[in-house]
Amino acid sequence: MKLLQIPTANLDERIKEELEENPALEVGEEGREDDFEEHEHNSEDFEQAGDEEYDGSEDEYDNIDISEYVSDGDDEIADYKLRDDNYGDNEEQKTVPLRVETTLHDILVDQLGMLSLDERKLKIAEQIVGSVDDDGYLRRELSSIVDDLAFRQNIDSNETEVEDLIKLIQQFDPPGVCARNLQECLMLQLLRQQAEGRDVALSIEVVEKYFDEFTKKHYEKIQRGLNISDEELKEVINLILKLNPRPGGNVGEINKAESYIIPDFFIINNAGKLELTLNSKNAPDLRISEGYRDMLKEYDRGSKKDKRQKEAVMFIKQKIDSAKWFIDMIKQRQNTLLSTMDAIMHYQKDFFLTGDETTLKPMILKDIAEITGLDISTVSRVANSKFVQTEFGTYRLKFFFSESLSTDSGEEVSTREVKKILSDLVEAESKKKPLSDERLTELLQEKGYNIARRTVAKYREQLNIPVARLRKEL
């Protein structure tokens, strides 16, 4: 089960660990695998593989049977290399460059060197910089920083001194860094632009005096308080919205190549026929070490077999059994993945052909478990951790699972379909007069969906759509 949960992107690392731990396992030539013989295993076999202990008795050593390990013709095509050649063998081998990254902390420390500070104040400033989080905020209380300086650095300081150094660090780049909250972060950025005209001056006043009203979109109160026109208010809002709420977020961000999702499956629409392939790029061709096999053959040919040789053979057999078990587990993993994805693909065939979310059928884990004969928990593990690439995008498998909802005609539809229609309604609404949850409920009911207002509110929250008041724009 542990192998089943590992995403394709991490499977290569798991295989490398096994290769390092078991010298009898090695990466073979493409398309070849030393599999000796196919064996049927039950769950107890898998738990015991590689963990056998031998008591060292003479009878045990005398009865070593290695015939199955030294038979000729044990090389065969690796049947677990299940991915289509178009995706693997023809790909150009590329060297992945090492990522060299400058962190936000590095940038701030470099700028500390431009300040004229004595050694004591430099250590205090370094403590402050070290407390700045990845978003660029200083979320530690001044008293906590003072305590850290006393206990860890043996520096007696006070909140006033720390505050003065924070003010200096807040002048560093990126603008808004070392702020204690969002309001201060936006204010720091605006103050650097205050010479740029009346709009900036008004924006500073809004952030300073009407920040709560601004976040709640009570624009009428702001307009009355500042006595400004609709056009001026719009300019102010646009200016504030262009500020960066996470000044540290773009510094030292994760390499985009590393954040890409590596799909576990590929589905292609070939003239109306869906074709499923499994991504096995990160599963190298595994086989039993030829060196270990040759050692067993040499032992088999020898006439004199002392106790030390027999002990070595027992060790080799254990390692080979463990290697065979791991290869079998890779096969079992891939067979389980293919079986599960194939069932999902056929169940949601209309979606994979059209990409239309409204064609998704209600589908729960039990449905796929019954089709595949797998346990529900096994299907759940596959659905939660695996991705499929289609011509319409890459999806996590759990995307295709949803409960059902009845229409006026009694037909069962997927809640995913209802959420898609709800999302479309919000997207098409007038932002000057957004649709309330009550109105959204009425529109869905007009389309034949029996749905309550509280359910609409729940689906809206699941879609990360704010309430109507917060969706309002000028």
Side-chain angles (χ1 to χ4, degrees), residues 24 50 52 54 63-69 292 296 310-324:
E52 297 178 46
Y54 300 90
N63 295 324
I64 297 177
D65 179 12
I66 61 170
S67 58
E68 62 177 300
Y69 297 88
Y292 267 50
L296 287 181
K310 293 176 181 178
E311 287 176 348
V313 168
M314 297 302 294
F315 172 79
I316 292 170
K317 281 185 63 178
Q318 288 180 32
K319 292 302 180 183
I320 289 177
D321 286 340
S322 179
K324 289 163 66 178

Side-chain angles (χ1 to χ4, degrees), residues 366-385:
K366 184 180 178 183
D367 295 327
I368 300 303
E370 289 176 350
I371 294 172
T372 60
L374 297 170
D375 190 83
I376 289 179
S377 62
T378 302
V379 176
S380 177
R381 288 187 181 93
V382 176
N384 284 327
S385 60

Side-chain angles (χ1 to χ4, degrees), residues 171-220:
Q171 304 308 309
F172 289 179
D173 287 327
V177 75
C178 205
R180 269 65 68 89
N181 52 54
L182 177 59
Q183 184 177 13
E184 186 177 27
C185 177
L186 299 179
M187 182 64 75
L188 288 171
Q189 295 176 59
L190 287 169
L191 288 174
R192 295 201 188 188
Q193 306 174 33
Q194 59 184 337
E196 296 183 13
R198 174 172 164 76
D199 289 341
V200 176
L202 286 173
S203 300
I204 290 174
E205 199 167 355
V206 168
V207 172
E208 185 177 16
K209 299 178 180 178
Y210 299 96
F211 186 70
D212 190 51
E213 288 81 0
F214 178 80
T215 57
K216 294 178 179 178
K217 293 196 174 185
H218 291 155
Y219 297 139
E220 299 84 359

Side-chain angles (χ1 to χ4, degrees), residues 212-387:
D212 190 51
E213 288 81 0
F214 178 80
T215 57
K216 294 178 179 178
K217 293 196 174 185
H218 291 155
Y219 297 139
E220 299 84 359
K221 293 182 181 179
I222 298 174
Q223 198 168 5
R224 287 197 304 269
L226 295 178
N227 191 26
I228 57 177
S229 66
D230 290 346
E231 194 61 35
E232 286 177 312
L233 179 61
K234 187 177 291 187
E235 290 296 327
V236 166
I237 291 171
N238 289 337
L239 181 58
I240 295 174
L241 292 177
K242 289 178 181 177
L243 301 176
N244 187 359
R246 296 176 59 242
N250 296 328
V251 179
E253 64 182 351
I254 296 176
N255 189 318
K256 289 184 178 179
E258 293 185 352
S259 64
Y260 288 158
I261 292 172
I262 298 179
D264 302 88
F265 311 94
F266 301 88
I267 292 181
I268 298 173
N269 180 357
N270 187 0
K273 182 181 179 181
L274 296 176
E275 296 180 355
L276 170 66
T277 52
L278 179 66
N279 182 355
S280 299
K281 182 176 181 180
N282 291 321
D285 187 18
L286 300 175
R287 67 178 185 180
I288 307 300
S289 167
E290 290 189 12
Y292 267 50
R293 181 183 61 181
D294 291 342
M295 283 190 281
L296 287 181
K297 285 183 176 180
E298 181 137 353
Y299 170 83
D300 190 49
R301 286 194 294 266
S303 56
K304 185 180 180 182
K305 298 179 174 64
D306 58 34
K307 185 173 181 179
R308 175 175 289 186
Q309 286 179 314
K310 293 176 181 178
E311 287 176 348
V313 168
M314 297 302 294
F315 172 79
I316 292 170
K317 281 185 63 178
Q318 288 180 32
K319 292 302 180 183
I320 289 177
D321 286 340
S322 179
K324 289 163 66 178
W325 170 86
F326 187 76
I327 292 172
D328 284 345
M329 287 300 93
I330 292 292
K331 293 178 183 178
Q332 182 176 324
R333 173 187 187 273
Q334 297 190 347
N335 288 334
T336 300
L337 293 181
L338 274 176
S339 174
T340 304
M341 187 66 240
D342 185 68
I344 294 172
M345 180 181 72
H346 284 93
Y347 204 103
Q348 303 290 8
K349 182 178 179 181
D350 290 341
F351 171 82
F352 290 110
L353 288 173
T354 65
D356 184 356
E357 289 185 29
T358 60
T359 63
L360 286 170
K361 299 178 183 178
M363 183 177 77
I364 58 176
L365 296 172
K366 184 180 178 183
D367 295 327
I368 300 303
E370 289 176 350
I371 294 172
T372 60
L374 297 170
D375 190 83
I376 289 179
S377 62
T378 302
V379 176
S380 177
R381 288 187 181 93
V382 176
N384 284 327
S385 60
K386 303 296 181 290
F387 292 85

